[in-house]
């Protein structure tokens, strides 16, 4: 009898490879911080509403978008609430994109404790994403995954890839209380050193490097222009390092710093992947909460916007005036809703009410002649007649009496009742919840008819969290406070104001040190850019976009420079979107400018004059907008050629822009390289024309 053929093993290998390549994710639902007190005393941070949608929904939508199949959610405080919410959500339905979704309840008090517990469970078998439960992102991370896996196959010691978002140093999503500094090898993308520079008084303002780092690397990059929203691609070895080092507590300041410092001992390397497209930010502080809320309503996070209705039962619609509204909203006479607002179902707004740049949850009641400005009212909030709420957060079920004033920065927690004619200062955090022993609390009385406001306490500003969080809170609380020029851009700067993560103008921080008179112009840029971009994405007619832009400009009396700046920002963003979908850069520039040339044309008024200040200003806006783009040199050339071919920018305009000192100064000069050939061509053509004219005159 012939011997039996050996059993084929070919089928096993593909299964192993498939199991290895299936992407897992670990979501840290607890930030193990106290920045969101008093709200986090009663609710987990990941369930707090952001633009009327729980924070964790943005994170799970992001993970579903990038192809994650297995999710492990690590709960900390209020784990029962997280479990109840997730089990009742769409992520548990048969149509969920996740094959497995597992929740872990833990008494961990730090990220390090959670990671060591996860390692003991022995559930992670391959690469996994490590993210916080407060991440808002629409980035496509497939290129980062591909690079990570290729690097891992060549070197098993390449254990982690941090996904970072390129942004300007004054970017709104950046942390202002401390600056993360990454020292990188630009050839291998390896992170060589990490340090955080505190902006507090008395703190050092320099980075300390080992001499060996400079001697062993021929080239290094010092990057402080990166947004770190804690999206990491990890191998299982990462968990082992957490278990081997019980002093590791946080991801960056202890784990990352420690692994890099001990490279000579363990040989493990950590790399970076820097994204230039897409939105990414983490709601790590109150300032970030406000900034990202505005980015969501401004549609920088698309498709993560209210009208996408990711939560079952939501029915938001985006209106032309920039608001997002559900059905069943009632408004009284002379009610004004301005700016980008979110209004939930069943909300009733009285007569003479003014609401601007605010979010109101479901079933809120706003009394007559109330003013709500730049604030966040969660579900079932009641606001009495003639009350004023500015730049504050009012949690679910709270009642603000008649004639009350809630000043900028105040936080009123769940079910608190404020008596009539009470003023809540910006330093007050009011809650009915009992505090942990570390928190300093005292009973306060409100001056309303000599009565005590029902069961509310004032939490002292001296919380047990870091100076960084205190700094963020102070920015939220004190809108007129002084803010360091090192951390906040101003309207007087030529640099674009702050911004997301996408290639849009960087707007100043939540509370800007600019004057109230400057605010309308700043808001114009953000809203005008969003309006133009929305029209471009919806393929609206150029005439309609221009009509809306003109009407909006007249309402705030914005300058023509602001018009050009907004047009450029929206055009560049649309070009980036087309590139991301596979369109070549030159073709993307041609499609946008040729179809919507009238929008550019209506912002230029110097065609009949010898000097071309408008055309020069337009090209300077293009140049500034491209500074953060990876292919800035190519795009600048393509835009210059396209606008010249379309006769939007004349030859004189191009030749007056090129030698302008503003175009040649600082970083602006770094992206001019490829365009120089085009300029030379125009100059030579002009010289030939001059010679021909001279010959004709002599004849």
């Amino acid at each position: 009898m012939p011997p039996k053929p050996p059993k084929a093993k070919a089928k096993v290998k593909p299964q192993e490879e498939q199991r290895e390549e299936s992407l897992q994710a670990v979501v840290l639902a607890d930030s193990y911080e106290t920045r969101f007190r008093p709200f986090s005393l009663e609710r987990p941070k990941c369930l707090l509403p952001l633009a009327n949608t729980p924070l964790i929904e943005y994170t799970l939508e992001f993970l579903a978008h990038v192809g994650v199949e297995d999710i492990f959610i690590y709960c900390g405080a209020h784990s029962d609430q997280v479990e109840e919410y997730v089990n009742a959500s769409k992520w548990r339905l048969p149509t969920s994109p996740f094959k497995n979704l597992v929740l872990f309840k833990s008494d961990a008090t730090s990220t390090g404790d959670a990671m060591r517990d996860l390692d003991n469970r022995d559930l992670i078998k391959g690469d996994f994403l490590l993210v916080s439960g407060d991440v808002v992102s629409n980035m496509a991370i497939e290129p980062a995954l591909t690079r990570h896996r290729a690097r891992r196959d060549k070197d098993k010691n390449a254990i982690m890839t941090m996904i970072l978002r390129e942004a300007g140093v004054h970017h709104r999503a950046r942390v202002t209380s401390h600056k993360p500094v990454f020292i990188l090898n630009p050839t291998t993308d390896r992170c060589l050193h990490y340090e955080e520079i505190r902006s507090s008084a008395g703190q050092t303002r320099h980075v300390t490097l080992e001499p060996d780092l400079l001697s062993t690397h021929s080239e290094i990059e010092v990057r402080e222009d990166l947004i770190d929203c804690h999206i990491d691609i990890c191998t299982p070895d990462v968990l082992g390092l957490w278990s081997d080092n019980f002093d590791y507590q946080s991801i960056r300041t202890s784990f990352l710093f420690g692994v890099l410092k001990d490279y000579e001992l363990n040989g493990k390397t950590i790399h970076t992947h820097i994204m230039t497209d897409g939105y990414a930010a983490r709601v790590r502080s109150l300032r970030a909460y406000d900034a990202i809320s505005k980015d969501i309503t401004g549609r920088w996070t698309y498709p993560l916007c209210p009208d996408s209705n990711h939560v079952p039962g939501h029915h938001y619609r985006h209106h032309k005036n920039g608001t997002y509204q559900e059905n069943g909203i009632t408004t009284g006479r002379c009610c004004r809703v301005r700016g980008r607002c979110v209004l939930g179902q069943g909300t009733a707004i009285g007569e003479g009410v003014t609401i601007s740049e605010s979010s109101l949850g479901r079933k809120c009641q706003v009394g007559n002649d109330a003013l709500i400005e730049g604030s966040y009212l969660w579900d079932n909030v009641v606001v009495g007649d003639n009350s004023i709420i500015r730049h504050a957060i009012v949690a679910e079920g709270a009642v603000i009496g008649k004639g009350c004033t809630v000043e900028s920065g105040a936080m009123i927690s769940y079910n608190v009742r404020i008596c009539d004619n009470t003023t809540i200062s910006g330093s007050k955090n009011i809650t009915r919840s009992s505090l942990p022993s570390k928190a300093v609390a005292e009973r306060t009385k409100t001056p309303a008819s000599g009565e005590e406001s029902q069961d509310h306490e004032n939490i002292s500003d001296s919380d047990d969290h870091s100076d960084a969080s205190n700094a963020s809170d102070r920015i939220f609380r004190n809108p007129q406070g002084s803010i360091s020029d090192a951390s906040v851009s101003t309207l007087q700067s030529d640099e674009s104001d702050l911004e997301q993560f996408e290639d849009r103008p960087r707007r100043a921080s939540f509370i800007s040190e600019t004057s109230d008179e400057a605010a309308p112009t700043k808001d114009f840029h953000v809203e005008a850019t969003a309006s133009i971009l929305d029209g471009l994405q919806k393929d609206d007619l150029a005439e309609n976009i221009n009509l809306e832009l003109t009407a909006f400009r007249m309402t705030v009396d914005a300058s023509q420079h602001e018009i050009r700046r907004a047009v450029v920002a929206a055009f560049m963003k649309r070009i980036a979107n087309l590139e991301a979908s596979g369109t070549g850069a030159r073709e993307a520039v041609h499609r946008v400018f040729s179809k919507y040339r009238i929008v550019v044309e209506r912002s230029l008024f110097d065609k009949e004059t010898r000097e071309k200040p408008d055309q020069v200003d337009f090209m300077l806006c293009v140049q500034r907008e491209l500074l953060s783009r990876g292919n800035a040199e190519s795009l600048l050339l393509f835009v210059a050629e396209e606008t010249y071919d379309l006769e939007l920018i004349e030859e004189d305009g191009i030749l007056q822009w090129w030698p302008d000192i503003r175009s040649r100064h600082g970083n602006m000069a770094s992206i001019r390289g490829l365009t120089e050939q085009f300029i030379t061509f125009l100059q030579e053509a002009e010289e030939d024309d001059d010679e021909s004219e001279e010959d004709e005159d002599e004849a």
Side-chain angles (χ1 to χ4, degrees):
M1 178 181 292
K4 294 182 179 179
K7 294 182 179 179
K9 297 183 179 180
K11 294 183 178 179
V12 177
K13 186 175 179 180
Q15 292 175 352
E16 291 177 349
E17 290 179 350
Q18 183 179 4
R19 187 182 305 116
E20 181 182 357
E21 295 302 321
S22 64
L23 191 58
Q24 297 177 308
V26 175
V27 178
L28 299 176
D30 194 329
S31 62
Y32 305 103
E33 297 169 340
T34 58
R35 289 185 174 98
F36 278 81
R37 283 184 177 174
F39 309 120
S40 58
L41 293 173
E42 302 179 59
R43 299 284 192 277
K45 176 187 172 184
C46 66
L47 295 186
L48 300 183
L50 182 70
N52 292 355
T53 297
L55 263 174
I56 198 171
E57 287 289 340
Y58 296 98
T59 304
L60 295 177
E61 287 288 349
F62 163 68
L63 295 176
H65 174 69
V66 300
V68 169
E69 296 183 354
D70 302 322
I71 287 189
F72 304 102
I73 299 178
Y74 233 90
C75 305
H78 311 294
S79 57
D80 290 340
Q81 294 183 37
V82 178
E83 182 180 32
E84 180 182 2
Y85 177 84
V86 172
N87 287 340
S89 71
K90 68 179 182 180
W91 307 110
R92 286 295 196 191
L93 298 177
T95 55
S96 170
F98 305 132
K99 293 182 179 179
N100 298 291
L101 194 156
V102 181
L103 281 85
F104 297 123
K105 297 182 180 180
S106 171
D107 57 358
T109 59
S110 70
T111 301
D113 292 342
M115 299 302 287
R116 284 183 280 273
D117 181 75
L118 182 63
D119 185 39
N120 292 333
R121 295 177 186 269
D122 197 27
L123 293 171
I124 303 297
K125 304 301 182 182
D127 290 347
F128 66 98
L129 284 180
L130 177 62
V131 301
S132 298
D134 54 10
V135 167
V136 179
S137 176
N138 60 9
M139 292 193 305
I141 66 169
E142 286 82 0
L145 282 169
T146 301
R147 291 286 298 275
H148 169 82
R149 287 166 174 164
R151 189 184 298 120
R152 176 205 60 193
D153 291 341
K154 292 181 180 179
D155 181 6
K156 64 180 181 179
N157 288 321
I159 61 170
M160 190 168 91
T161 299
M162 299 179 290
I163 301 178
L164 308 172
R165 179 63 171 89
E166 190 175 67
V169 294
H170 299 303
H171 199 295
R172 179 168 68 186
R174 289 172 56 84
V175 178
T176 56
S177 56
H178 65 277
K179 292 182 178 180
V181 179
F182 295 86
I183 311 298
L184 309 178
N185 182 326
T187 304
T188 62
D189 295 327
R190 180 184 154 201
C191 185
L192 306 175
H193 180 77
Y194 175 82
E195 197 165 325
E196 293 182 359
I197 300 178
R198 301 286 175 176
S199 59
S200 304
Q203 295 288 342
T204 58
R205 306 289 295 174
H206 61 270
V207 175
T208 303
L209 298 179
E210 295 291 337
D212 291 345
L213 194 66
L214 300 176
S215 61
T216 55
H217 295 85
S218 59
E219 183 181 3
I220 64 172
E221 282 186 349
V222 181
R223 301 294 298 266
E224 60 170 340
D225 61 334
L226 302 173
I227 294 176
D228 181 10
C229 50
H230 289 202
I231 301 176
D232 300 331
I233 309 173
C234 307
T235 67
D237 289 345
V238 167
L239 298 177
L241 286 176
W242 282 98
S243 295
D244 293 341
N245 297 271
F246 280 87
D247 56 332
Y248 289 169
Q249 298 300 324
S250 63
I251 297 176
R252 293 292 183 259
T253 54
S254 58
F255 176 79
L256 173 61
F257 182 83
V259 172
L260 298 181
K261 182 169 66 72
D262 295 338
Y263 170 71
E264 295 297 332
L265 296 177
N266 56 39
K268 304 299 183 184
T269 60
I270 296 177
H271 295 75
T272 62
H273 186 90
I274 299 174
M275 305 288 289
T276 58
D277 294 319
Y279 185 100
R282 184 182 168 210
V283 187
R284 59 175 298 145
S285 67
L286 294 169
R287 174 184 173 274
Y289 179 92
D290 176 77
I292 296 171
S293 293
K294 287 180 168 56
D295 291 328
I296 291 172
T297 56
R299 306 187 74 77
W300 299 113
T301 60
Y302 186 83
L304 301 180
C305 299
D307 58 328
S308 295
N309 296 308
H310 292 296
V311 178
H314 280 194
H315 304 285
Y316 286 98
R317 297 179 62 187
H318 186 214
H319 296 260
K320 280 294 184 179
N321 62 356
T323 63
Y324 299 84
Q325 298 183 21
E326 287 192 287
N327 297 326
I329 297 173
T330 58
T331 57
R333 292 177 299 175
C334 302
C335 170
R336 292 176 293 176
V337 179
R338 302 182 300 192
R340 301 190 179 278
C341 296
V342 183
L343 304 178
Q345 186 177 27
T347 289
I349 303 172
E351 297 181 0
V353 173
T354 299
I355 301 174
S356 62
E357 300 291 341
S358 300
S359 293
L360 278 66
R362 289 184 164 184
K363 298 182 179 179
C364 291
Q365 299 179 41
V366 182
N368 297 332
D369 300 310
L371 171 64
I372 301 173
E373 180 181 287
S375 298
Y376 303 93
L377 280 59
W378 299 347
D379 293 348
N380 298 298
V381 170
V382 177
V383 179
D385 296 345
N386 300 298
S387 288
I388 299 173
I389 303 175
R390 284 193 171 98
H391 301 286
I393 301 178
V394 183
E396 181 177 351
V399 177
I400 310 298
K402 297 179 180 179
C404 292
T405 298
V406 181
E407 297 180 349
S408 298
M411 294 186 289
I412 300 175
S413 194
Y414 298 92
N415 301 309
V416 167
R417 301 176 66 88
I418 304 298
C419 297
D420 295 347
N421 304 311
T422 301
T423 296
I424 306 297
S425 69
S427 62
K428 304 298 184 184
N429 302 339
I430 313 296
T431 180
R432 297 179 60 156
S433 177
S434 58
L435 299 172
S437 58
K438 288 185 180 181
V440 181
E442 61 179 0
R443 212 69 159 145
T444 60
K445 289 189 176 183
T446 58
S449 304
E451 298 179 358
E452 185 179 8
S453 187
Q454 297 183 24
D455 294 321
H456 71 272
E457 299 171 321
N458 176 41
I459 301 175
S460 169
D461 291 346
S462 58
D463 213 334
D464 62 346
H465 52 308
S466 66
D467 292 339
S469 65
N470 284 330
S472 296
D473 289 351
R474 284 196 296 272
I475 292 175
F476 186 95
R477 290 180 182 134
N478 185 9
Q480 306 304 328
S482 175
I483 301 176
S484 168
D485 290 337
S487 63
V488 178
S489 67
T490 66
L491 290 178
Q492 285 71 35
S493 172
D494 278 342
E495 294 293 325
S496 310
D497 291 348
L498 269 171
E499 176 131 349
Q500 78 187 273
F501 344 74
E502 305 185 313
D503 303 314
R504 66 184 175 109
R506 303 173 187 78
R507 257 188 107 189
S509 71
F510 173 120
I511 303 302
S512 173
E513 56 184 328
T514 55
S515 66
D516 291 339
E517 288 77 8
T521 303
K522 179 179 68 175
D523 291 340
F524 170 80
H525 175 72
V526 175
E527 296 193 19
T529 302
S531 177
I532 298 168
L533 179 60
D534 188 50
L536 298 178
Q537 292 173 333
K538 292 180 178 179
D539 209 27
D540 289 347
L541 293 175
E543 285 286 359
N544 292 344
I545 294 176
N546 195 70
L547 185 63
E548 287 189 17
L549 183 61
T550 301
F552 188 28
R553 180 188 68 81
M554 295 175 66
T555 62
V556 297
D557 195 26
S559 67
Q560 290 298 332
H561 165 73
E562 289 297 325
I563 288 283
R564 289 188 284 271
R565 185 166 164 238
V567 169
V568 167
F571 275 36
M572 294 302 105
K573 177 56 188 169
R574 179 55 179 158
I575 289 168
N577 291 343
L578 291 173
E579 288 184 275
S581 64
T583 305
R586 184 183 291 274
E587 174 62 20
V589 170
H590 172 70
R591 284 171 59 179
V592 173
F593 276 89
S594 61
K595 183 170 183 177
Y596 295 98
R597 59 174 295 172
I598 189 174
V599 180
V600 177
E601 202 166 39
R602 297 286 175 85
S603 70
L604 305 174
F605 302 92
D606 54 7
K607 291 293 182 73
E608 304 300 326
T609 62
R610 183 177 183 85
E611 298 298 322
K612 309 295 180 183
D614 294 352
Q615 297 178 41
V616 170
D617 181 57
F618 184 87
M619 292 305 300
L620 289 172
C621 288
V622 172
Q623 206 171 344
R624 289 192 195 99
E625 189 66 27
L626 292 176
L627 284 178
S628 62
R629 297 287 295 274
N631 58 342
E633 285 195 52
S634 299
L635 284 173
L636 183 62
L637 171 62
F638 298 155
V639 171
E641 291 179 339
E642 185 66 27
T643 53
Y644 174 75
D645 291 341
L646 293 172
E647 299 182 351
L648 294 171
I649 307 296
E650 299 171 291
E651 181 177 323
D652 288 344
I654 294 286
L655 296 181
Q656 290 176 26
W657 155 66
W658 189 251
D660 191 291
I661 185 63
R662 294 168 294 177
S663 174
R664 297 183 286 111
H665 181 69
N667 291 337
M668 298 281 272
S670 65
I671 64 173
R672 288 163 45 108
L674 294 179
T675 310
E676 189 169 0
Q677 297 179 358
F678 176 60
I679 300 299
T680 302
F681 164 76
L682 293 181
Q683 291 171 338
E684 291 175 351
E686 186 179 39
E687 290 173 1
D688 292 342
D689 290 342
D690 292 342
E691 291 176 0
S692 299
E693 291 177 1
E694 290 176 1
D695 293 342
E696 291 177 359
D697 291 341
E698 291 176 359

